[in-house]
mmCIF file of all heavy atoms in Angstrom:
data_model
loop_
_atom_site.group_PDB
_atom_site.id
_atom_site.type_symbol
_atom_site.label_atom_id
_atom_site.label_comp_id
_atom_site.label_asym_id
_atom_site.label_seq_id
_atom_site.Cartn_x
_atom_site.Cartn_y
_atom_site.Cartn_z
ATOM 1 N N GLY A 10 92.500 30.720 7.410
ATOM 2 C CA GLY A 10 92.049 30.261 8.732
ATOM 3 C C GLY A 10 91.016 30.992 9.396
ATOM 4 O O GLY A 10 90.600 30.655 10.571
ATOM 5 N N LYS A 11 90.427 32.051 8.760
ATOM 6 C CA LYS A 11 89.410 32.814 9.344
ATOM 7 C C LYS A 11 87.987 32.337 9.027
ATOM 8 O O LYS A 11 87.821 31.567 7.986
ATOM 9 C CB LYS A 11 89.508 34.270 8.861
ATOM 10 C CG LYS A 11 90.789 34.949 9.243
ATOM 11 C CD LYS A 11 90.819 36.323 8.702
ATOM 12 C CE LYS A 11 92.147 36.960 9.167
ATOM 13 N NZ LYS A 11 92.310 38.407 8.450
ATOM 14 N N PRO A 12 87.012 32.721 9.690
ATOM 15 C CA PRO A 12 85.586 32.298 9.367
ATOM 16 C C PRO A 12 85.157 32.855 7.937
ATOM 17 O O PRO A 12 85.655 33.954 7.607
ATOM 18 C CB PRO A 12 84.745 33.013 10.411
ATOM 19 C CG PRO A 12 85.684 33.195 11.636
ATOM 20 C CD PRO A 12 87.011 33.422 11.002
ATOM 21 N N VAL A 13 84.572 31.961 7.213
ATOM 22 C CA VAL A 13 84.193 32.323 5.891
ATOM 23 C C VAL A 13 82.950 33.354 5.824
ATOM 24 O O VAL A 13 82.176 33.389 6.798
ATOM 25 C CB VAL A 13 83.840 31.152 5.022
ATOM 26 C CG1 VAL A 13 85.121 30.296 4.903
ATOM 27 C CG2 VAL A 13 82.778 30.278 5.579
ATOM 28 N N SER A 14 82.723 33.858 4.682
ATOM 29 C CA SER A 14 81.626 34.825 4.485
ATOM 30 C C SER A 14 80.271 34.129 4.613
ATOM 31 O O SER A 14 80.176 32.939 4.336
ATOM 32 C CB SER A 14 81.746 35.386 3.118
ATOM 33 O OG SER A 14 80.581 36.060 2.756
ATOM 34 N N ASP A 15 79.289 34.795 5.070
ATOM 35 C CA ASP A 15 78.024 34.364 5.231
ATOM 36 C C ASP A 15 77.031 35.063 4.288
ATOM 37 O O ASP A 15 75.824 35.123 4.399
ATOM 38 C CB ASP A 15 77.393 34.460 6.686
ATOM 39 C CG ASP A 15 76.452 33.334 7.035
ATOM 40 O OD1 ASP A 15 76.550 32.233 6.391
ATOM 41 O OD2 ASP A 15 75.639 33.611 7.888
ATOM 42 N N THR A 16 77.618 35.537 3.171
ATOM 43 C CA THR A 16 76.808 36.217 2.113
ATOM 44 C C THR A 16 75.910 35.244 1.506
ATOM 45 O O THR A 16 76.267 34.041 1.195
ATOM 46 C CB THR A 16 77.824 36.814 1.019
ATOM 47 O OG1 THR A 16 78.598 37.826 1.727
ATOM 48 C CG2 THR A 16 76.991 37.489 -0.061
ATOM 49 N N PRO A 17 74.715 35.492 1.257
ATOM 50 C CA PRO A 17 73.698 34.539 0.765
ATOM 51 C C PRO A 17 73.951 34.269 -0.721
ATOM 52 O O PRO A 17 74.499 35.053 -1.495
ATOM 53 C CB PRO A 17 72.312 35.188 0.954
ATOM 54 C CG PRO A 17 72.629 36.686 1.092
ATOM 55 C CD PRO A 17 73.984 36.818 1.615
ATOM 56 N N TYR A 18 73.601 33.075 -1.082
ATOM 57 C CA TYR A 18 73.488 32.586 -2.488
ATOM 58 C C TYR A 18 72.184 31.999 -2.677
ATOM 59 O O TYR A 18 71.448 31.722 -1.632
ATOM 60 C CB TYR A 18 74.708 31.719 -2.845
ATOM 61 C CG TYR A 18 74.804 30.553 -1.887
ATOM 62 C CD1 TYR A 18 74.324 29.324 -2.167
ATOM 63 C CD2 TYR A 18 75.598 30.624 -0.736
ATOM 64 C CE1 TYR A 18 74.443 28.220 -1.296
ATOM 65 C CE2 TYR A 18 75.765 29.608 0.154
ATOM 66 C CZ TYR A 18 75.210 28.393 -0.124
ATOM 67 O OH TYR A 18 75.323 27.321 0.724
ATOM 68 N N THR A 19 71.791 31.575 -3.878
ATOM 69 C CA THR A 19 70.418 31.101 -4.080
ATOM 70 C C THR A 19 70.448 29.751 -4.800
ATOM 71 O O THR A 19 71.379 29.357 -5.387
ATOM 72 C CB THR A 19 69.627 32.105 -4.918
ATOM 73 O OG1 THR A 19 70.252 32.285 -6.235
ATOM 74 C CG2 THR A 19 69.487 33.492 -4.162
ATOM 75 N N ASP A 20 69.287 29.192 -4.845
ATOM 76 C CA ASP A 20 68.936 28.023 -5.646
ATOM 77 C C ASP A 20 68.180 28.493 -6.827
ATOM 78 O O ASP A 20 67.721 29.735 -6.856
ATOM 79 C CB ASP A 20 68.256 26.899 -4.909
ATOM 80 C CG ASP A 20 67.011 27.304 -4.295
ATOM 81 O OD1 ASP A 20 66.146 27.967 -4.832
ATOM 82 O OD2 ASP A 20 66.728 26.946 -3.002
ATOM 83 N N PRO A 21 67.821 27.591 -7.814
ATOM 84 C CA PRO A 21 67.080 28.063 -9.007
ATOM 85 C C PRO A 21 65.678 28.688 -8.674
ATOM 86 O O PRO A 21 65.121 29.373 -9.427
ATOM 87 C CB PRO A 21 66.980 26.806 -9.849
ATOM 88 C CG PRO A 21 68.135 26.107 -9.435
ATOM 89 C CD PRO A 21 68.369 26.334 -7.994
ATOM 90 N N ASP A 22 65.118 28.186 -7.620
ATOM 91 C CA ASP A 22 63.824 28.697 -7.272
ATOM 92 C C ASP A 22 63.796 30.004 -6.401
ATOM 93 O O ASP A 22 62.753 30.515 -6.014
ATOM 94 C CB ASP A 22 63.057 27.595 -6.334
ATOM 95 C CG ASP A 22 62.822 26.372 -7.143
ATOM 96 O OD1 ASP A 22 62.616 26.432 -8.379
ATOM 97 O OD2 ASP A 22 62.901 25.334 -6.575
ATOM 98 N N GLY A 23 65.029 30.590 -6.247
ATOM 99 C CA GLY A 23 65.208 31.839 -5.500
ATOM 100 C C GLY A 23 65.308 31.671 -4.037
ATOM 101 O O GLY A 23 65.435 32.648 -3.321
ATOM 102 N N GLY A 24 65.379 30.481 -3.528
ATOM 103 C CA GLY A 24 65.598 30.193 -2.115
ATOM 104 C C GLY A 24 66.991 30.699 -1.756
ATOM 105 O O GLY A 24 67.999 30.423 -2.446
ATOM 106 N N GLU A 25 67.097 31.370 -0.550
ATOM 107 C CA GLU A 25 68.250 31.857 -0.098
ATOM 108 C C GLU A 25 69.048 30.884 0.841
ATOM 109 O O GLU A 25 68.382 30.238 1.653
ATOM 110 C CB GLU A 25 68.043 33.197 0.680
ATOM 111 C CG GLU A 25 69.293 33.925 0.989
ATOM 112 C CD GLU A 25 68.962 35.247 1.600
ATOM 113 O OE1 GLU A 25 68.702 36.214 0.810
ATOM 114 O OE2 GLU A 25 68.944 35.387 2.809
ATOM 115 N N HIS A 26 70.315 30.802 0.610
ATOM 116 C CA HIS A 26 71.185 29.822 1.408
ATOM 117 C C HIS A 26 72.389 30.548 1.897
ATOM 118 O O HIS A 26 72.798 31.519 1.265
ATOM 119 C CB HIS A 26 71.597 28.619 0.577
ATOM 120 C CG HIS A 26 70.406 27.876 -0.010
ATOM 121 N ND1 HIS A 26 69.756 26.917 0.652
ATOM 122 C CD2 HIS A 26 69.786 28.060 -1.274
ATOM 123 C CE1 HIS A 26 68.720 26.533 -0.075
ATOM 124 N NE2 HIS A 26 68.705 27.111 -1.234
ATOM 125 N N ARG A 27 73.053 30.086 2.833
ATOM 126 C CA ARG A 27 74.266 30.645 3.397
ATOM 127 C C ARG A 27 75.290 29.452 3.749
ATOM 128 O O ARG A 27 74.791 28.399 4.129
ATOM 129 C CB ARG A 27 73.993 31.489 4.681
ATOM 130 C CG ARG A 27 73.184 32.675 4.397
ATOM 131 C CD ARG A 27 72.789 33.371 5.650
ATOM 132 N NE ARG A 27 71.966 34.495 5.374
ATOM 133 C CZ ARG A 27 72.360 35.758 5.055
ATOM 134 N NH1 ARG A 27 73.708 36.016 5.099
ATOM 135 N NH2 ARG A 27 71.623 36.765 4.788
ATOM 136 N N LEU A 28 76.519 29.715 3.749
ATOM 137 C CA LEU A 28 77.469 28.671 4.170
ATOM 138 C C LEU A 28 77.320 28.305 5.630
ATOM 139 O O LEU A 28 77.533 27.095 5.949
ATOM 140 C CB LEU A 28 78.916 29.144 3.914
ATOM 141 C CG LEU A 28 79.318 29.405 2.458
ATOM 142 C CD1 LEU A 28 80.665 29.993 2.392
ATOM 143 C CD2 LEU A 28 79.180 28.037 1.679
ATOM 144 N N SER A 29 76.805 29.093 6.482
ATOM 145 C CA SER A 29 76.564 28.829 7.794
ATOM 146 C C SER A 29 75.388 27.761 8.006
ATOM 147 O O SER A 29 75.246 27.173 9.045
ATOM 148 C CB SER A 29 76.148 30.020 8.644
ATOM 149 O OG SER A 29 74.872 30.678 8.149
ATOM 150 N N ASP A 30 74.616 27.497 6.939
ATOM 151 C CA ASP A 30 73.573 26.459 6.934
ATOM 152 C C ASP A 30 74.285 25.130 7.123
ATOM 153 O O ASP A 30 73.605 24.165 7.398
ATOM 154 C CB ASP A 30 72.788 26.504 5.677
ATOM 155 C CG ASP A 30 72.008 27.675 5.470
ATOM 156 O OD1 ASP A 30 71.720 28.467 6.432
ATOM 157 O OD2 ASP A 30 71.498 28.029 4.346
ATOM 158 N N HIS A 31 75.566 25.095 6.793
ATOM 159 C CA HIS A 31 76.357 23.779 6.899
ATOM 160 C C HIS A 31 77.271 23.675 8.054
ATOM 161 O O HIS A 31 78.193 22.852 7.965
ATOM 162 C CB HIS A 31 77.096 23.622 5.501
ATOM 163 C CG HIS A 31 76.282 23.649 4.274
ATOM 164 N ND1 HIS A 31 75.544 22.592 3.891
ATOM 165 C CD2 HIS A 31 75.965 24.706 3.476
ATOM 166 C CE1 HIS A 31 74.827 22.914 2.758
ATOM 167 N NE2 HIS A 31 75.012 24.133 2.593
ATOM 168 N N GLN A 32 76.983 24.589 9.039
ATOM 169 C CA GLN A 32 77.864 24.527 10.259
ATOM 170 C C GLN A 32 77.962 23.112 10.732
ATOM 171 O O GLN A 32 76.996 22.323 10.804
ATOM 172 C CB GLN A 32 77.221 25.371 11.385
ATOM 173 C CG GLN A 32 78.110 25.589 12.493
ATOM 174 C CD GLN A 32 79.382 26.468 12.159
ATOM 175 O OE1 GLN A 32 79.349 27.262 11.292
ATOM 176 N NE2 GLN A 32 80.419 26.349 12.986
ATOM 177 N N GLY A 33 79.143 22.690 11.108
ATOM 178 C CA GLY A 33 79.361 21.312 11.616
ATOM 179 C C GLY A 33 79.742 20.324 10.520
ATOM 180 O O GLY A 33 80.005 19.120 10.774
ATOM 181 N N LYS A 34 79.866 20.826 9.281
ATOM 182 C CA LYS A 34 80.089 19.932 8.147
ATOM 183 C C LYS A 34 81.310 20.622 7.418
ATOM 184 O O LYS A 34 81.276 21.825 7.090
ATOM 185 C CB LYS A 34 78.948 19.884 7.280
ATOM 186 C CG LYS A 34 79.153 18.992 6.107
ATOM 187 C CD LYS A 34 77.784 18.964 5.240
ATOM 188 C CE LYS A 34 76.708 18.225 5.887
ATOM 189 N NZ LYS A 34 75.633 17.799 4.926
ATOM 190 N N ALA A 35 82.318 19.819 7.055
ATOM 191 C CA ALA A 35 83.430 20.295 6.226
ATOM 192 C C ALA A 35 82.860 20.481 4.784
ATOM 193 O O ALA A 35 82.061 19.696 4.289
ATOM 194 C CB ALA A 35 84.592 19.368 6.250
ATOM 195 N N LEU A 36 83.393 21.522 4.098
ATOM 196 C CA LEU A 36 82.965 21.728 2.696
ATOM 197 C C LEU A 36 84.022 21.915 1.750
ATOM 198 O O LEU A 36 85.077 22.469 2.032
ATOM 199 C CB LEU A 36 82.085 23.111 2.774
ATOM 200 C CG LEU A 36 80.879 23.255 3.679
ATOM 201 C CD1 LEU A 36 80.356 24.608 3.645
ATOM 202 C CD2 LEU A 36 79.803 22.228 3.219
ATOM 203 N N LEU A 37 83.740 21.466 0.534
ATOM 204 C CA LEU A 37 84.539 21.872 -0.574
ATOM 205 C C LEU A 37 83.615 22.762 -1.432
ATOM 206 O O LEU A 37 82.653 22.292 -1.974
ATOM 207 C CB LEU A 37 84.952 20.616 -1.482
ATOM 208 C CG LEU A 37 85.804 20.843 -2.662
ATOM 209 C CD1 LEU A 37 86.708 19.612 -2.944
ATOM 210 C CD2 LEU A 37 85.102 21.309 -3.841
ATOM 211 N N LEU A 38 83.934 24.076 -1.445
ATOM 212 C CA LEU A 38 83.154 25.042 -2.095
ATOM 213 C C LEU A 38 83.864 25.309 -3.409
ATOM 214 O O LEU A 38 85.078 25.701 -3.401
ATOM 215 C CB LEU A 38 83.119 26.278 -1.289
ATOM 216 C CG LEU A 38 82.485 27.575 -1.896
ATOM 217 C CD1 LEU A 38 80.913 27.386 -2.180
ATOM 218 C CD2 LEU A 38 82.625 28.835 -0.951
ATOM 219 N N ASN A 39 83.200 25.237 -4.477
ATOM 220 C CA ASN A 39 83.703 25.339 -5.857
ATOM 221 C C ASN A 39 82.846 26.334 -6.583
ATOM 222 O O ASN A 39 81.629 26.193 -6.736
ATOM 223 C CB ASN A 39 83.621 24.024 -6.553
ATOM 224 C CG ASN A 39 84.213 24.137 -8.015
ATOM 225 O OD1 ASN A 39 83.508 24.412 -8.930
ATOM 226 N ND2 ASN A 39 85.561 23.904 -8.159
ATOM 227 N N PHE A 40 83.544 27.449 -7.053
ATOM 228 C CA PHE A 40 82.894 28.403 -7.955
ATOM 229 C C PHE A 40 83.203 28.045 -9.366
ATOM 230 O O PHE A 40 84.264 27.749 -9.798
ATOM 231 C CB PHE A 40 83.350 29.790 -7.620
ATOM 232 C CG PHE A 40 82.971 30.388 -6.322
ATOM 233 C CD1 PHE A 40 83.831 30.278 -5.203
ATOM 234 C CD2 PHE A 40 81.751 30.913 -6.138
ATOM 235 C CE1 PHE A 40 83.501 30.768 -3.976
ATOM 236 C CE2 PHE A 40 81.302 31.390 -4.908
ATOM 237 C CZ PHE A 40 82.256 31.336 -3.827
ATOM 238 N N TRP A 41 82.105 28.027 -10.260
ATOM 239 C CA TRP A 41 82.214 27.597 -11.612
ATOM 240 C C TRP A 41 81.271 28.387 -12.516
ATOM 241 O O TRP A 41 80.463 29.154 -11.976
ATOM 242 C CB TRP A 41 81.910 26.144 -11.664
ATOM 243 C CG TRP A 41 80.456 25.822 -11.564
ATOM 244 C CD1 TRP A 41 79.718 25.787 -10.474
ATOM 245 C CD2 TRP A 41 79.577 25.436 -12.602
ATOM 246 N NE1 TRP A 41 78.487 25.437 -10.649
ATOM 247 C CE2 TRP A 41 78.314 25.201 -12.024
ATOM 248 C CE3 TRP A 41 79.705 25.235 -13.975
ATOM 249 C CZ2 TRP A 41 77.178 24.890 -12.702
ATOM 250 C CZ3 TRP A 41 78.574 24.869 -14.733
ATOM 251 C CH2 TRP A 41 77.357 24.734 -14.068
ATOM 252 N N ALA A 42 81.283 28.247 -13.786
ATOM 253 C CA ALA A 42 80.426 28.884 -14.687
ATOM 254 C C ALA A 42 80.194 27.953 -15.936
ATOM 255 O O ALA A 42 81.111 27.170 -16.278
ATOM 256 C CB ALA A 42 80.938 30.267 -15.128
ATOM 257 N N THR A 43 79.024 28.093 -16.511
ATOM 258 C CA THR A 43 78.736 27.158 -17.664
ATOM 259 C C THR A 43 79.600 27.468 -18.890
ATOM 260 O O THR A 43 79.948 26.594 -19.686
ATOM 261 C CB THR A 43 77.309 27.452 -18.122
ATOM 262 O OG1 THR A 43 77.129 28.817 -18.462
ATOM 263 C CG2 THR A 43 76.310 26.943 -17.131
ATOM 264 N N TRP A 44 80.189 28.624 -19.022
ATOM 265 C CA TRP A 44 81.020 29.051 -20.090
ATOM 266 C C TRP A 44 82.484 28.693 -19.898
ATOM 267 O O TRP A 44 83.336 28.934 -20.740
ATOM 268 C CB TRP A 44 80.886 30.566 -20.376
ATOM 269 C CG TRP A 44 80.958 31.415 -19.179
ATOM 270 C CD1 TRP A 44 79.923 31.928 -18.404
ATOM 271 C CD2 TRP A 44 82.155 31.870 -18.549
ATOM 272 N NE1 TRP A 44 80.469 32.652 -17.372
ATOM 273 C CE2 TRP A 44 81.805 32.585 -17.348
ATOM 274 C CE3 TRP A 44 83.510 31.641 -18.751
ATOM 275 C CZ2 TRP A 44 82.686 33.186 -16.442
ATOM 276 C CZ3 TRP A 44 84.419 32.192 -17.907
ATOM 277 C CH2 TRP A 44 84.086 32.921 -16.840
#
């Protein structure tokens, strides 16, 4: 129930993004790997 992390993640071009970029929108955040 606490605020989520705002640690940055990137896109393939190196652009930095944060979960706070989606404020006001519900999210399903999924961590995955190709392997």
Side-chain angles (χ1 to χ4, degrees):
K11 295 179 183 175
V13 297
S14 172
D15 210 30
T16 298
Y18 52 92
T19 63
D20 59 41
D22 297 325
E25 191 173 277
H26 304 275
R27 297 173 181 272
L28 294 175
S29 61
D30 297 342
H31 303 278
Q32 191 69 26
K34 183 182 286 197
L36 302 172
L37 184 153
L38 173 63
N39 179 271
F40 292 98
W41 72 286
T43 55
W44 48 263

